[in-house]
Amino acid sequence: MQQRPGFILWFTGMSGAGKSTLSAAVARQLSPVQRVELLDGDEVRTYLSRGLGFSRADREENVRRIGYVARVLAKHEVGVITAAISPYKNSRDEVRALATQAGIPFLECYVQASLDALIARDVKGLYKKALAGEIPHFTGVSDPYEPPESPEITVRSDAETVDAGLERILDTLRDRGLLAPAASAA
């Protein structure tokens, strides 16, 4: 296994956009050839951010915690892939700035889908409940989602396949010198 520099690939997008699906696909592709770690938002909330609610302050703290762990791992030559809604631009910008200050490459991947597509694929019915006012502070409905202004990668999960999005993500990592050569074939 050829060692590569550590990096942070930060997936952001609304609930159900496909962050976990894409981040897991990237991790599967990279793990045979380089060290990677996936920090999924749901798991982080269970183990690292237990007790945090969904207020703006709590959401920002959750993003800070994910960013801290990502930086620690990336400093040790791990490719860190995160998948968290991270709805606020200033929180994402803070994580990016701290990574950059530490010399860690940071790439933001915005996984975007229309609200209609998110509602259609929502097997838990969360959007329906949020639109009915049954779930307070639901990102994109009763709480804001601030889309990235200039992410390194945007994947339209309602208009392209997982494989197409995966290949564009891998191309970006390859272009930045962060992808081991053997991971080039998707």
Side-chain angles (χ1 to χ4, degrees), residues 38-72:
L38 175 58
L39 301 176
D40 186 78
D42 290 339
E43 288 183 19
V44 168
R45 275 205 171 264
T46 299
Y47 298 107
L48 182 64
S49 295
R50 183 181 303 164
L52 290 180
F54 293 92
S55 67
R56 183 177 184 116
D58 284 353
R59 289 172 192 248
E60 289 177 333
E61 181 61 26
N62 185 50
V63 168
R64 281 188 201 96
R65 290 178 186 184
I66 295 169
Y68 173 76
V69 172
R71 285 191 311 279
V72 168

Side-chain angles (χ1 to χ4, degrees), residues 10-87:
W10 193 279
F11 283 86
T12 181
M14 290 182 25
S15 179
K19 299 175 302 297
S20 293
T21 299
L22 275 167
S23 63
V26 172
R28 276 191 306 275
Q29 188 70 33
L30 299 185
S31 64
V33 294
Q34 65 192 75
R35 293 174 15 177
V36 295
E37 194 64 48
L38 175 58
L39 301 176
D40 186 78
D42 290 339
E43 288 183 19
V44 168
R45 275 205 171 264
T46 299
Y47 298 107
L48 182 64
S49 295
R50 183 181 303 164
L52 290 180
F54 293 92
S55 67
R56 183 177 184 116
D58 284 353
R59 289 172 192 248
E60 289 177 333
E61 181 61 26
N62 185 50
V63 168
R64 281 188 201 96
R65 290 178 186 184
I66 295 169
Y68 173 76
V69 172
R71 285 191 311 279
V72 168
L73 290 168
K75 285 179 189 177
H76 294 282
E77 300 178 329
V78 175
V80 182
I81 303 162
T82 72
I85 293 172
S86 41

Side-chain angles (χ1 to χ4, degrees), residues 72-114:
V72 168
L73 290 168
K75 285 179 189 177
H76 294 282
E77 300 178 329
V78 175
V80 182
I81 303 162
T82 72
I85 293 172
S86 41
Y88 305 115
K89 180 186 177 311
N90 66 330
S91 298
R92 295 188 309 267
D93 289 349
E94 178 184 330
V95 171
R96 178 190 292 271
L98 290 169
T100 301
Q101 288 170 11
I104 299 166
F106 183 98
L107 294 90
E108 189 172 43
C109 182
Y110 176 31
V111 184
Q112 183 181 18
S114 70

Side-chain angles (χ1 to χ4, degrees), residues 90-154:
N90 66 330
S91 298
R92 295 188 309 267
D93 289 349
E94 178 184 330
V95 171
R96 178 190 292 271
L98 290 169
T100 301
Q101 288 170 11
I104 299 166
F106 183 98
L107 294 90
E108 189 172 43
C109 182
Y110 176 31
V111 184
Q112 183 181 18
S114 70
L115 184 58
D116 288 340
L118 296 172
I119 293 168
R121 64 170 73 143
D122 179 23
V123 295
K124 296 178 185 175
L126 298 176
Y127 280 97
K128 183 178 178 180
K129 289 178 182 176
L131 289 165
E134 297 171 25
I135 301 176
H137 307 294
F138 193 82
T139 301
V141 176
S142 53
D143 254 16
Y145 177 79
E146 300 168 353
E149 293 173 1
S150 54
E152 285 75 12
I153 309 153
T154 298

